[in-house]
Amino acid sequence: MDYFIQQLLNGLTLGSIYGLIAIGYTMVYGIIGMINFAHGDVFMLGGFAALITYLVLISLFAGLPVAIMLLVMLIVAMLMTSLWNWVIERIAYRPLRGSFRLAPLITAIGMSIVLSNFIQVSQGPRNKPIPTLVGDVYNFGEVSLSLKQIIIFIITVVLLAAFWYIVNKTALGRAQRATEQDRKMAALLGINVDRTISVTFIMGAALAAVAGTMYLMYYGVANFTDGFVPGVKAFTAAVLGGIGSLPGAVLGGLMIGFIESFWSGNFAIAYKDVATYGILAYVLIFKPTGILGRPEVEKV
């Protein structure tokens, strides 16, 4: 039982990070029907922004409390990735919004390559480690729970609650839901569709930045390739939970975290990705819209 609980906690930590990234995928797809394949690299940019902020802080303010340092890292990472995603949406996606469906997809893949290579050239190809920011570990018999895991749980729950409130209870959320249902009608009713889409990209980037900072804190290393695998896993989580559904994105992220954790603890770790994508294929065969997804009704 102790081993089961330990793997459950590890899976919850990993799934929380995947869920935060997956929300960005599902929000953009829900509003404009586009898969932003550069979103994983925005997550990687958030990690590097947090890393550079950390290096600046320790060089200027030695002895700064870890809590303040983490808060500043989060804020700077969110601001930087939000700016990046806003620029990406304006210059790469908006001009192609009325084009054929493959054009934005190809552009998104191109932006992913651009961001990855930009970080490789500017920061170097090697791993960038940082010292352990939060090293406290609490033992409950054979089960260990680290303080950084608790921080990830709390931040994930708070952010998800805040974004759920924004989407469901605010004027911005109503504009986003109206744009999702019918962009032309939303524009006729006075909603600034372009601004709503830009804000959605910014919100997704902010969540990806938080996930990138948590990833950096948890693993203690950043690399320019970090955006690809977590990005693909988060996209898989969004599809598994039902792309276009915020609760589905979180559920899918948690499921993939649990699958990877339990598989790695009981079977060959090299095959954990096979298990993840195998379960995704199984779910989509019997429920093509994902677990919480709703079938789209196309009017003719």
Side-chain angles (χ1 to χ4, degrees):
M1 179 58 72
D2 289 341
Y3 181 76
F4 175 83
I5 295 174
Q6 184 65 66
Q7 294 302 323
L8 194 68
L9 292 173
N10 294 338
L12 187 61
T13 304
L14 190 58
S16 298
I17 294 175
Y18 287 153
L20 288 173
I21 309 172
I23 289 177
Y25 281 109
T26 203
M27 287 179 70
V28 171
Y29 181 84
I31 288 186
I32 61 175
M34 168 196 165
I35 302 298
N36 180 17
F37 278 116
H39 191 67
D41 295 278
V42 173
F43 155 80
M44 177 266 296
L45 283 174
F48 268 94
L51 171 65
I52 294 171
T53 303
Y54 166 78
L55 296 175
V56 171
L57 288 175
I58 62 172
S59 64
L60 296 179
F61 308 101
L64 192 68
V66 173
I68 297 177
M69 190 178 299
L70 277 174
L71 180 61
V72 175
M73 289 166 63
L74 277 172
I75 293 173
V76 172
M78 292 171 73
L79 291 175
M80 292 301 297
T81 54
S82 296
L83 178 61
W84 271 102
N85 228 23
W86 179 79
V87 172
I88 290 171
E89 193 275 331
R90 288 296 299 268
I91 67 173
Y93 299 155
R94 185 178 296 185
L96 298 174
R97 198 178 296 160
S99 183
F100 62 98
R101 292 182 65 87
L102 276 180
L105 178 64
I106 296 170
T107 304
I109 296 173
M111 288 305 306
S112 173
I113 296 172
V114 168
L115 294 178
S116 177
N117 282 273
F118 169 73
I119 294 297
Q120 181 184 11
V121 171
S122 62
Q123 301 299 321
R126 296 183 179 180
N127 289 338
K128 305 292 183 182
I130 65 169
T132 302
L133 296 177
V134 182
D136 297 344
V137 178
Y138 308 101
N139 295 310
F140 305 94
E142 297 296 323
V143 179
S144 62
L145 178 64
S146 64
L147 182 57
K148 56 188 176 184
Q149 287 180 306
I150 297 174
I151 293 173
I152 291 174
F153 300 155
I154 293 174
I155 289 178
T156 300
V157 170
V158 170
L159 283 177
L160 293 180
F163 273 70
W164 178 89
Y165 180 83
I166 290 172
V167 171
N168 290 279
K169 302 294 182 180
T170 65
L172 172 61
R174 287 191 294 273
Q176 289 176 321
R177 285 181 278 125
T179 304
E180 175 185 357
Q181 293 176 8
D182 193 324
R183 268 185 282 168
K184 291 183 179 179
M185 182 58 68
L188 289 173
L189 293 174
I191 294 174
N192 189 328
V193 172
D194 287 337
R195 185 175 63 187
T196 301
I197 293 174
S198 293
V199 171
T200 302
F201 271 84
I202 290 171
M203 292 169 65
L207 283 176
V210 174
T213 305
M214 296 298 100
Y215 190 89
L216 176 69
M217 180 189 71
Y218 191 66
Y219 291 104
V221 66
N223 189 279
F224 77 98
T225 61
D226 285 345
F228 179 72
V229 173
V232 171
K233 296 285 182 66
F235 172 65
T236 304
V239 174
L240 180 62
I243 192 151
S245 168
L246 293 183
V250 179
L251 177 61
L254 292 176
M255 287 184 65
I256 288 182
F258 291 144
I259 292 168
E260 290 193 359
S261 178
F262 282 105
W263 185 277
S264 301
N266 294 280
F267 304 101
I269 193 172
Y271 295 100
K272 63 180 174 57
D273 292 344
V274 176
T276 300
Y277 299 125
I279 292 176
L280 171 66
Y282 180 81
V283 170
L284 293 181
I285 287 172
F286 294 98
K287 199 172 190 321
T289 56
I291 297 173
L292 298 181
R294 293 173 295 178
E296 292 186 6
V297 178
E298 186 172 347
K299 298 179 180 180
V300 295

